[in-house]
Amino acid sequence: MQAFRNALQSKLSESVSVAGVTLARFIIASPIAGLYLWILYQINPVDSVSLSTGFIGFVSAAALMQIIATALMVKLFQLQNYAVGAGLAKSEAVMAALLGSWFFGSSLTALGWVGVLLGTIAVFILSGVKSVRQLNLPTVFLGLACGTAFALTSLWVREASIALQLPFPHSAAWVLWLVITLQTLILSGYVILTQPSTFRHLLKYKKITAAVSVTSCIGSIGWFSAMSLQHVAYVKTVGQIEVFFMLLVSLIFLKQKPKSQDAIGLILIALAAILVMLPH
C-alpha cells in the first residue's frame, strides 16, 4: 500500500503543493480509520477505553514527529543527491533499534541485530550510493535526522498502543485514529493559514487525493498493528519489502528496467526479513 501511495503522491505532486500532497495522506484517512475502529467493536466489543495522560502524550508526540519527519523528507527532495539522503532516511530501522534499546526498554537478539543491519545496508545499496564522496554533511545530517524522526514516531506509536491496555487489534486502531485525526487538524490549520487555495487543487484532483488517503490508511493499519505486537526495529526491517513493490511499480508502469544493484539489495532485504522473523 505504501509503494502505491508513494507513486500516487508523486503523480499528485505535479499539480499540488508539497503541503497539499502531505495533507492528501490524511484528509479522508481519519474517517476510514474511524470506520475500521467501529467495525472492530462490532465484531468484538471490548472494555471502554481510558485515555491516560501518558497515552495522550505518546499520541501527540508521534503525530508531531511524523509531520517533522515528512518535512525533513521534503527537504531531501530538494537536494541534488536526493537518493543518497533517502537511503540514509531509511536508517529508521537501525535508529529504532538503537533508540529502543537505550530509552524504550526494547532488547533485540544478536540475530535480530544482524537482520536490522542487513536491511539498512540493502536500502543504502538500492539508493544508488557508489562512493563515499557522494556523501556530504548536509545530506548525511538531513537523512539521519529524517530516519531518527520516523523511528521516534514508530516507537511512540508502540508505547501508546501498550499504554492503552486494550486487546489487539483494538489498541492499535485507537492509536491510528487519534494520530491521523490530530495530524489532519494540524496540517489543515497550516494550509488554511498559509495556502488556502490548496484545498481547491485537492478537490480538482479528488480521485488521486482519495486514492492517496485510502492506500495510506490501509498501509498505516498494517504498520500500527504490527508495531503493537513486535519491536519497531523488526517491523521496519520486514517492512522494507516495500522496495520490491516500488521496483515492481517502476517496471510495470514506468517501464524502467531494474539495475544489478537492485537485485543485490532485494536479496539482502529478503535475508534481513527472514532473520528478524526467525523464532528468538
Side-chain angles (χ1 to χ4, degrees):
M1 286 297 105
Q2 189 158 299
F4 283 118
R5 184 205 70 194
N6 289 341
L8 290 163
Q9 278 188 308
S10 176
K11 179 70 175 175
L12 189 62
S13 66
E14 296 172 5
S15 310
V16 180
S17 69
V18 171
V21 174
T22 305
L23 180 58
R25 290 179 57 182
F26 311 113
I27 199 162
I28 64 169
S30 182
I32 297 170
L35 177 63
Y36 167 64
L37 180 61
W38 179 82
I39 290 172
L40 288 181
Y41 272 84
Q42 301 311 302
I43 296 171
N44 180 27
V46 298
D47 295 337
S48 57
V49 64
S50 177
L51 306 182
S52 65
T53 305
F55 171 78
I56 294 170
F58 290 137
V59 166
S60 301
L64 289 170
M65 190 55 66
Q66 190 172 41
I67 291 173
I68 292 170
T70 304
L72 290 170
M73 180 63 81
V74 171
K75 185 65 178 174
L76 283 170
F77 287 150
Q78 299 169 355
L79 297 179
Q80 188 174 358
N81 47 359
Y82 158 71
V84 179
L88 286 165
K90 285 292 183 180
S91 63
E92 58 179 308
V94 72
M95 293 308 298
L98 291 171
L99 292 170
S101 60
W102 291 341
F103 304 111
F104 292 84
S106 302
S107 58
L108 308 186
T109 64
L111 208 57
W113 274 105
V114 172
V116 170
L117 292 172
L118 263 182
T120 303
I121 292 168
V123 173
F124 203 61
I125 289 172
L126 287 162
S127 71
V129 178
K130 296 177 181 177
S131 169
V132 178
R133 286 177 295 180
Q134 285 182 266
L135 302 176
N136 59 58
L137 197 57
T139 303
V140 171
F141 175 77
L142 277 174
L144 291 178
C146 185
T148 302
F150 276 123
L152 283 170
T153 299
S154 300
L155 287 163
W156 279 323
V157 162
R158 176 167 169 77
E159 290 299 310
S161 186
I162 293 170
L164 202 53
Q165 296 183 335
L166 284 177
F168 174 84
H170 295 65
S171 57
W174 269 107
V175 176
L176 173 66
W177 178 63
L178 290 170
V179 167
I180 289 178
T181 300
L182 185 54
Q183 288 172 328
T184 304
L185 292 172
I186 292 170
L187 282 169
S188 295
Y190 172 79
V191 170
I192 288 170
L193 290 173
T194 60
Q195 40 186 277
S197 61
T198 296
F199 286 107
R200 290 199 302 272
H201 295 150
L202 289 175
L203 188 61
K204 182 179 179 181
Y205 300 97
K206 55 183 179 291
K207 288 184 179 179
I208 299 179
T209 299
V212 168
S213 272
V214 170
T215 52
S216 180
C217 188
I218 296 172
S220 293
I221 288 172
W223 282 122
F224 280 53
S225 299
M227 288 185 292
S228 72
L229 292 172
Q230 188 52 273
H231 293 309
V232 171
Y234 290 162
V235 175
K236 289 296 182 181
T237 300
V238 175
Q240 285 168 349
I241 60 165
E242 168 200 354
V243 176
F244 167 76
F245 294 103
M246 287 171 64
L247 290 174
L248 205 60
V249 168
S250 179
L251 177 65
I252 295 172
F253 296 105
L254 303 179
K255 308 300 181 184
Q256 295 176 350
K257 294 182 179 179
K259 303 171 187 173
S260 57
Q261 68 189 43
D262 295 337
I264 296 170
L266 288 173
I267 291 169
L268 288 176
I269 284 175
L271 288 173
I274 290 168
L275 285 173
V276 301
M277 286 191 293
L278 286 174
H280 298 294

